[in-house]
Short mmCIF file of all heavy atoms in Angstrom, two decimals:
data_model
loop_
_atom_site.label_atom_id
_atom_site.label_comp_id
_atom_site.label_asym_id
_atom_site.label_seq_id
_atom_site.Cartn_x
_atom_site.Cartn_y
_atom_site.Cartn_z
N MET B 53 122.16 101.15 40.12
CA MET B 53 121.22 101.68 39.14
C MET B 53 120.49 102.87 39.75
O MET B 53 120.04 102.81 40.89
CB MET B 53 120.21 100.59 38.78
CG MET B 53 119.19 101.00 37.74
SD MET B 53 118.09 99.60 37.35
CE MET B 53 119.24 98.52 36.49
N ALA B 145 132.22 104.59 35.78
CA ALA B 145 132.54 105.64 36.75
C ALA B 145 131.41 105.68 37.75
O ALA B 145 130.31 105.22 37.46
CB ALA B 145 132.64 106.98 36.04
N ARG B 150 129.58 114.77 35.36
CA ARG B 150 130.22 115.61 36.39
C ARG B 150 130.30 117.02 35.82
O ARG B 150 130.15 117.23 34.62
CB ARG B 150 131.61 115.09 36.77
CG ARG B 150 132.64 115.15 35.68
CD ARG B 150 134.01 114.72 36.20
NE ARG B 150 134.95 114.57 35.09
CZ ARG B 150 135.61 115.58 34.53
NH1 ARG B 150 135.42 116.82 34.95
NH2 ARG B 150 136.44 115.37 33.52
N ILE B 191 113.79 98.06 46.73
CA ILE B 191 113.78 98.95 47.90
C ILE B 191 112.66 99.97 47.72
O ILE B 191 112.74 100.86 46.88
CB ILE B 191 115.14 99.66 48.04
CG1 ILE B 191 116.25 98.63 48.21
CG2 ILE B 191 115.10 100.64 49.23
CD1 ILE B 191 117.66 99.19 48.12
#
Side-chain angles (χ1 to χ4, degrees):
Chain B
M53 182 178 291
R150 66 175 170 82
I191 301 170

